[in-house]
Amino acid sequence: RAAHCMTELLLLLLLVEPCTALLASGRAMGRAPRAALLMQVDDGKAQFAVRWFPSLDLQSADEEPSGAADVSVMPVFPLGMSYLPYTEPVLNIFEPRYRQMYNDILMNGARRFCVVNVDGETGRLAEVGVVFYLDELKEVSEQTQDRVKYVGQHTVIDRVRLKRVLNPSAARTRQTYLKAEVATMADIDDGETSEAEAVLHRIFLELVSAQQELNEEPRFTEAVKGRLSFTRGTGADDKGLWGTILLWQQFVEQRTSVVGQKMQREIQARVAAYLKENKLRDGIVNARGEVRLEDLPAPLLQEIRAIQTRFREELEAMDADPAGESFQAMLQSESHRERLGVLRATLEKERKRLSARATLQSLFKQ
């Protein structure tokens, strides 16, 4: 019976939703209209507004490139993530249309395409994206039984603004990939920013110290203090502020993973406790060893949903979404000063959360 229970337990672990999915579902519940960047609201909570490209007319005919000197035509790969300049993303390619896209950019020698974030609620594309340059492409179809065709290694080499989608019907038919005219995006010259850089540096150092004092998990180590930069930077070897934003995004990714693991352990413990006293009814486990949530006994399902809701709220309170709007807001910022402001608003929110936690700890120690 114990072995049978453990088998059922492992099957039920397939039910746990990833934390990123929980965050996405939470964001879809209520989202204010967005047109410009909001740095602060009255209650001190940082809010960011992403500029979205107008919704595509999926029935419209394809258009020819304009031939304008200030734009170029690129394939568009919509992904639910804000990738940052000078990073080196790896993508697994399995959809036929994107297999074709990679074949095309290799054949024409361009080796580049535009990646944009996607609004999970409306499906709109972000107005500002980045250019992926293909450094290496590995054929892995034999090893993956053709589930994945290619593994691509890329470098993010530029930021671009979507100007015109040439074949919007492709978003409906999915028979090929989108193509668009894009314009390179460069920061405007916004003058002296050394004071704003110094303030942000101090705030980040205070966060690192607060995390260590509170024994946060995960947390930055002392070593990170030597890697921080808040300057404009000059490129891949001197990323400046972009490198620090990447450190923050990686930290948020790790924190999301840690919270997800905690949620899994709690659900696992609850399922194990349930199976000690109960047995799943026959026929609800399919041939692949999966159980649908709606097929679970109502009391167990209710407890699992409550656990998921609690952890989703915890993640939202932490602003712990590595694909969140703050990163897109930094990507679309038109000046170094504006980008400093977005990161500062993000870190100020985290600083307030840590301060509140420190206050609670001190109260419990009294």
Side-chain angles (χ1 to χ4, degrees):
R1 172 64 190 267
H4 178 65
C5 284
M6 286 308 298
T7 300
E8 290 187 325
L9 176 58
L10 291 173
L11 293 172
L12 279 168
L13 287 180
L14 296 172
L15 298 168
V16 180
E17 299 175 18
C19 278
T20 50
L22 292 178
L23 281 163
S25 65
R27 287 197 304 271
M29 290 180 185
R31 183 182 272 158
R34 290 161 294 191
L37 179 66
L38 303 179
M39 299 304 302
Q40 292 284 131
V41 292
D42 290 342
D43 63 1
K45 179 181 178 182
Q47 288 191 348
F48 309 103
V50 173
R51 295 194 296 271
W52 299 103
F53 195 74
S55 297
L56 301 180
D57 181 357
L58 305 185
Q59 306 300 324
S60 63
D62 293 356
E63 300 181 29
E64 292 296 322
S66 65
D70 60 343
V71 298
S72 57
V73 176
M74 284 190 189
V76 177
F77 198 158
L79 292 170
M81 183 77 177
S82 296
Y83 290 91
L84 302 176
Y86 314 126
T87 54
E88 298 178 345
V90 176
L91 298 181
N92 294 328
I93 308 305
F94 50 89
E95 281 193 64
R97 53 181 167 163
Y98 296 117
R99 296 183 183 197
Q100 183 60 50
M101 183 191 79
Y102 276 86
N103 291 337
D104 290 347
I105 65 173
L106 286 174
M107 289 294 292
N108 64 28
R111 301 183 72 92
R112 64 194 69 198
F113 54 94
C114 171
V115 172
V116 292
N117 206 336
V118 183
D119 186 338
E121 182 180 354
T122 67
R124 287 183 298 172
L125 307 178
E127 180 184 294
V128 174
V130 294
V131 177
F132 275 36
Y133 182 85
L134 177 62
D135 296 310
E136 184 179 0
L137 192 66
K138 293 182 179 179
E139 163 77 59
V140 295
S141 54
E142 185 174 340
Q143 299 94 303
T144 63
Q145 290 74 53
D146 205 39
R147 289 191 298 272
V148 176
K149 175 69 171 177
Y150 298 125
V151 174
Q153 176 73 51
H154 313 80
T155 302
V156 178
I157 60 173
D158 222 335
R159 293 184 300 149
V160 291
R161 192 188 306 275
L162 277 183
K163 304 299 285 187
R164 191 164 64 108
V165 175
L166 300 176
N167 58 339
S169 63
R172 172 176 52 83
T173 66
R174 297 177 176 265
Q175 293 177 354
T176 187
Y177 52 89
L178 292 170
K179 296 178 183 178
E181 289 186 332
V182 301
T184 300
M185 186 174 177
D187 281 351
I188 61 173
D189 183 5
D190 55 357
E192 177 60 42
T193 57
S194 58
E195 183 176 345
E197 292 168 9
V199 169
L200 191 53
H201 195 172
R202 174 179 55 78
I203 292 172
F204 207 117
L205 294 179
E206 290 174 358
L207 276 183
V208 174
S209 299
Q211 287 180 343
Q212 293 171 347
E213 291 171 6
L214 292 167
N215 201 28
E216 282 276 294
E217 183 62 36
R219 60 183 179 273
F220 287 110
T221 65
E222 281 290 320
V224 79
K225 294 181 178 180
R227 298 176 56 189
L228 299 176
S229 174
F230 299 88
T231 65
R232 287 177 171 81
T234 58
D237 295 328
D238 174 25
K239 297 181 178 67
L241 181 62
W242 286 118
T244 300
I245 294 171
L246 176 60
L247 284 174
W248 181 252
Q249 189 178 51
Q250 291 171 336
F251 166 73
V252 171
E253 288 175 347
Q254 186 174 0
R255 182 160 65 179
T256 302
S257 176
V258 167
V259 173
Q261 291 166 8
K262 286 168 57 180
M263 181 180 72
Q264 282 191 320
R265 289 195 295 269
E266 188 167 330
I267 291 178
Q268 180 177 348
R270 185 65 207 99
V271 171
Y274 180 88
L275 292 175
K276 285 182 179 179
E277 306 296 332
N278 305 274
K279 183 179 179 181
L280 295 178
R281 72 178 188 271
D282 294 337
I284 71 170
V285 181
N286 67 22
R288 296 188 301 273
E290 299 169 338
V291 183
R292 297 186 304 172
L293 275 175
E294 56 265 32
D295 291 334
L296 287 175
L300 179 58
L301 177 59
Q302 185 175 3
E303 291 189 57
I304 290 175
R305 288 300 194 195
I307 293 170
Q308 291 175 327
T309 298
R310 176 160 47 82
F311 276 96
R312 181 179 67 236
E313 291 171 350
E314 179 181 342
L315 284 168
E316 289 173 344
M318 290 180 177
D319 196 19
D321 186 358
E325 294 184 353
S326 61
F327 293 104
Q328 182 64 31
M330 286 183 264
L331 185 67
Q332 73 185 22
S333 297
E334 297 185 348
S335 71
H336 180 61
R337 183 182 299 278
E338 182 181 351
R339 197 169 303 115
L340 288 167
V342 178
L343 183 57
R344 177 174 178 175
T346 302
L347 298 185
E348 289 283 13
K349 180 180 178 181
E350 175 67 6
R351 185 163 66 168
K352 290 179 181 179
R353 186 188 72 83
L354 293 175
S355 177
R357 186 170 174 223
T359 300
L360 286 174
Q361 280 194 3
S362 65
L363 289 174
F364 282 119
K365 290 178 180 179
Q366 292 178 359

